Amino acid sequence: MTVSAVRLNHAVLFVADLERSLDFYKAAFDMEVVAREPRANAAFLRLPRSGNHHDLGLFGVGAQPPRPRGALGLYHLAWQVDTIEDLEAARLTLAELGAFTGDSSHGATKSVYAADPDGNEFEVMWMLPKAEWGAYANAAPIEHLDLAGEVRRWGGVRTAGELVPLDAR
């Protein structure tokens, strides 16, 4: 028997400065603070189009030495956008915030990468329509992302609403 999850619902991060991190995630993703827990120095944020209670929890724990890249634990979070144009806009926003760290094509997904003020890495990704995965259905290459070319090819195609139907198992 397995857990029948459908997707990751939310993530929780420990951060050095709660207010600084709140400012960053509100500026980067237009998230709103939906709840605070002062006893735990925590806040919970929701994305504008989310159906979740919260998408991100932040717990302020004070300054600590950064975890070395490649150490055990979480590598990064991935936030999905609905259109390739949304990915292009995310790249610009993250660059304006000084958070952009790179981009790549993984075949079925197109991604930009960034880091928050504490160095927590994250990905913003757009997924091709499932019917177009082809050879990428069981592959995850790391290739150069020609974002302008992808926008020309996939402009206006929405994919964030695609879920595997329950009866398809």
Side-chain angles (χ1 to χ4, degrees):
M1 180 174 223
T2 62
V3 175
S4 60
V6 293
R7 67 174 53 161
L8 183 65
N9 179 272
H10 68 272
V12 179
L13 300 174
F14 292 122
V15 297
D17 181 326
L18 180 60
E19 296 306 317
R20 178 184 71 179
S21 292
L22 287 172
D23 289 345
F24 175 80
Y25 283 100
K26 288 190 293 188
F29 292 95
D30 195 28
M31 289 182 164
E32 68 170 315
V33 176
V34 295
R36 284 188 177 255
E37 176 44 67
R39 295 170 297 179
N41 194 29
F44 301 89
L45 299 104
R46 183 182 307 135
L47 293 163
R49 294 180 58 199
S50 175
N52 292 337
H53 173 270
H54 64 279
D55 298 292
L56 182 65
L58 301 174
F59 284 69
V61 295
Q64 297 178 14
R67 188 172 57 98
R69 193 176 201 309
L72 292 178
L74 180 68
Y75 172 27
H76 70 255
L77 305 172
W79 304 101
Q80 184 175 352
V81 294
D82 198 17
T83 67
I84 193 72
E85 293 93 345
D86 293 336
L87 186 66
E88 184 178 45
R91 183 182 191 181
L92 292 172
T93 296
L94 296 168
E96 289 171 2
L97 292 170
F100 176 77
T101 60
D103 54 32
S104 60
S105 170
H106 301 295
T109 63
K110 312 304 175 188
S111 304
V112 298
Y113 295 89
D116 76 5
D118 291 300
N120 293 309
E121 294 184 51
F122 61 89
E123 172 183 356
V124 179
M125 53 77 64
W126 177 76
M127 187 167 21
L128 269 63
K130 194 164 188 171
E132 300 293 330
W133 288 3
Y136 298 121
N138 295 303
I142 301 173
E143 301 170 335
H144 169 75
L145 175 63
D146 173 11
L147 189 52
E150 298 292 352
V151 169
R152 283 190 300 277
R153 180 173 182 194
W154 298 107
V157 176
R158 304 176 93 79
T159 61
E162 291 185 17
L163 277 178
V164 175
L166 189 58
D167 60 355
R169 287 196 265 159

